[in-house]
Amino acid sequence: SIRRLGKGYQGHEGAAGTGTCAKDKLKRNRVDNMIYGIGTDMILITRLKATLERRGDRFAEKILGPDEMKRYIHRKSKVELRGLRYLATRFAAKEAFSKALGLGMRMPMTWRSMQLLNAASGKPEAVCSGKLKAHMEALGLKAQVSVTDEAEYALAFVVIEQMEKVAETITD
């Protein structure tokens, strides 16, 4: 029955294409997700603070993309610790992302080519640019990211999925 198809209905074939014959074949596309890679990273926030004290915001500029940098400066201007924790979660997310991708920090993965931004709902989203974006699209990859921080640590967990379109035929 056509009602069973829901989203992805593309049409039907067989028995004059009327959809009234019980032996009609119905086609739809679905997307199967396969885990491509998993990565995690944890950073001691005081270690990051020591690096910032030595190198200043040049370190943050090396790690953060342009949208992340604006957010970092805004948070840091209100409460320095909030800026530090923001930087720590982004650093951990980029490390975890590079591990899940299986490349480490080498092309097309660079610190600034993946930004961890928040959707309107607050959900963190990996936004890629340049060669990394092209690499992700060519392989049909999508990342799911989770970050958290506590008094001493920041932690990130990344699952990269590979999307695969599958055409299926349904018969009654």
Side-chain angles (χ1 to χ4, degrees), residues 44-50 52-53 71-90 149-154:
L44 186 61
I45 295 175
T46 55
R47 202 170 143 221
L48 190 68
K49 182 179 180 184
L52 271 175
E53 287 170 355
R71 187 83 171 162
Y72 165 72
I73 290 168
H74 177 74
R75 285 184 174 211
K76 184 181 171 188
S77 71
K78 292 192 177 239
V79 178
E80 193 161 337
L81 182 59
R82 284 187 69 209
L84 179 62
R85 287 184 173 177
Y86 179 84
L87 179 61
T89 57
R90 272 45 192 179
D149 62 89
E150 278 299 322
E152 296 182 33
Y153 295 96

Side-chain angles (χ1 to χ4, degrees), residues 2-145:
I2 293 175
R3 283 191 306 262
R4 284 188 343 186
L5 289 175
K7 281 185 163 182
Y9 174 70
Q10 285 199 328
H12 51 269
E13 59 189 24
T18 63
T20 58
C21 178
K23 294 189 181 195
D24 278 358
K25 294 180 183 176
L26 304 173
K27 286 187 178 180
R28 70 175 175 179
N29 285 329
R30 73 171 198 268
V31 177
D32 284 349
N33 298 351
M34 177 176 76
I35 293 178
Y36 183 85
I38 299 172
T40 190
D41 193 69
M42 182 169 66
I43 184 168
L44 186 61
I45 295 175
T46 55
R47 202 170 143 221
L48 190 68
K49 182 179 180 184
T51 302
L52 271 175
E53 287 170 355
R54 280 193 322 273
R55 299 179 68 195
D57 279 341
R58 287 188 331 246
F59 178 73
E61 290 168 358
K62 176 183 175 186
I63 302 301
L64 301 175
D67 294 330
E68 291 171 316
M69 192 67 190
K70 288 176 193 170
R71 187 83 171 162
Y72 165 72
I73 290 168
H74 177 74
R75 285 184 174 211
K76 184 181 171 188
S77 71
K78 292 192 177 239
V79 178
E80 193 161 337
L81 182 59
R82 284 187 69 209
L84 179 62
R85 287 184 173 177
Y86 179 84
L87 179 61
T89 57
R90 272 45 192 179
F91 184 92
K94 291 166 190 250
E95 283 282 338
F97 185 91
S98 72
K99 291 171 185 176
L101 197 52
L103 295 174
M105 277 301 169
R106 65 175 192 268
M107 287 302 283
M109 178 64 199
T110 64
W111 289 109
R112 295 171 48 93
S113 63
M114 189 283 278
Q115 294 190 89
L116 187 63
L117 306 175
N118 294 90
S121 65
K123 176 185 174 186
E125 294 183 335
V127 178
C128 301
S129 61
K131 291 180 182 178
L132 180 60
K133 181 179 179 180
H135 179 77
M136 295 285 287
E137 289 173 353
L139 294 176
L141 302 178
K142 179 182 174 187
Q144 304 295 331
V145 183

Side-chain angles (χ1 to χ4, degrees), residues 151-172:
E152 296 182 33
Y153 295 96
L155 175 77
F157 187 77
V158 176
V159 175
I160 295 183
E161 301 170 291
Q162 189 166 39
M163 314 310 229
E164 181 180 314
K165 281 189 179 181
V166 178
E168 62 183 353
T169 301
I170 299 174
T171 56
D172 286 339

